[in-house]
Amino acid sequence: MKGINNSKKIKLLLVLLGISLLVFAFFPTLGRYKHRTSHYDLTEWDGSVASKYRSGSGTEVDPYIISNGSEFAYFSSQLKHTDYKGVYFELGNDIVLNKGNASDWATNAPGETWPGIGTKDLPFAGTFDGQGHTVTFQNAMWGMFGFVAGKSGAVVTIQNVKTAGSVQRSPIAHEVTFTHIIGCINGATVTKANENYVGGIVGSVEYTQVGS
């Protein structure tokens, strides 16, 4: 600062100090914004059904990404029209498939319940990768999937997903045929465990491999 008098030096230092304070104040704000959950990112299902998936085209290299409960409900609803044979899906977030606060469910049960994915007439036949995310239920009649069925030479895969909360019957799937269940972990309470064809992961299996 040669040639600058003391008064100007002080003013310049004050300006630089002010800029520094603004920068330090701004970056935490950016951090909070980056991790803020937008309406589109909400993972707690409110009973609504999305009109599409977050992203992807359903191929092995570009799977459909399911990021919230509404998209998961859309996934379930489409099983009325297709079995998704040869189509790939991934979870993009943890998902709570019920309204309400999970810690308060004992006295304040949520208003939405999960219908399950796939029916006996039109079972799921695609590939689903939970990417290590957790799906939480509250006293759902079915777990994530109702009925899953591949064929010899076209085996279905469900992998890397965790479950939590409570479910009346098997948390991952009720009935599976020609399916690989890999790396799935159940943390949900099964409330009708004494019924037939109810298990901690799947209820009824045929030509199916369950493992880590």
Side-chain angles (χ1 to χ4, degrees), residues 128 145 148 156-161 172 179-182 184:
F128 183 88
F145 293 89
V148 179
V156 177
T157 298
I158 299 173
Q159 62 185 4
N160 304 326
V161 64
I172 299 298
T179 301
H180 288 162
I181 307 289
I182 304 169
C184 295

Side-chain angles (χ1 to χ4, degrees), residues 131-145:
Q131 292 288 300
H133 291 294
T134 298
V135 177
T136 302
F137 311 94
Q138 165 56 23
N139 200 31
M141 179 177 292
W142 306 109
M144 287 179 52
F145 293 89

